[in-house]
Amino acid sequence: MVTRREWLRVALGGAAVTAASGMLTIPAFAAAPIAITVYKSPSCGCCTKWIEHLEAHGFEVTAKDMDDLSEVKATFGIPPELESCHTGTVGKYVVEGHVPADLIQKMLKEKPAIAGLAVPGMPMGSPGMEGARKDAYDVIAFDRQGKKSVYAKR
């Protein structure tokens, strides 16, 4: 007779071998997608690439095309010096510009007392702005009182 412990050891060992061999395509315990809304220009290619970056990293994106994003940026309190080409909202946070998905996930996990994260401008090499070169850039944390700090360097 096989004990429950022996059965679990064999079953988990088989799953580990299958996963290591690359034959397992769906993780046994896949995380639920993270919902994010992205406000963007309908003609912006880098915004679309950033959305693809988010989707590849477990986000479920609702894109809202808009001809003028100034009202969205004002509503969510994006300081003008931090503005970029698109604005996202995820949970209680705002994400402005080409912020890497791993840093959004980190923010959601750590829950810092900030309004959100921003990558000002459109730095080459940031997600959605991949190309021949990769410039160094800062990811800025900001709060509703106007305080800003470097959240990460890339």
Side-chain angles (χ1 to χ4, degrees), residues 43-105:
S43 61
C44 184
C46 67
C47 296
T48 301
K49 287 183 179 181
W50 184 67
I51 288 171
E52 291 169 0
H53 166 76
L54 293 178
E55 290 172 336
H57 289 87
F59 287 85
E60 185 175 312
V61 179
T62 300
K64 298 199 177 206
D65 289 341
M66 305 179 76
D67 291 323
D68 182 8
L69 294 170
S70 58
E71 187 175 327
V72 168
K73 294 176 187 307
T75 298
F76 292 118
I78 310 295
E81 65 275 16
L82 297 183
E83 289 184 5
S84 184
C85 57
H86 54 261
T87 303
T89 57
V90 57
K92 66 177 188 172
Y93 297 103
V94 179
V95 179
E96 179 69 10
H98 295 268
V99 178
D102 67 308
L103 294 178
I104 300 170
Q105 292 165 336

Side-chain angles (χ1 to χ4, degrees), residues 133-144:
R133 72 174 205 265
K134 182 173 167 77
D135 296 339
Y137 62 94
D138 292 338
V139 178
I140 308 296
F142 63 96
D143 67 15
R144 302 272 182 230

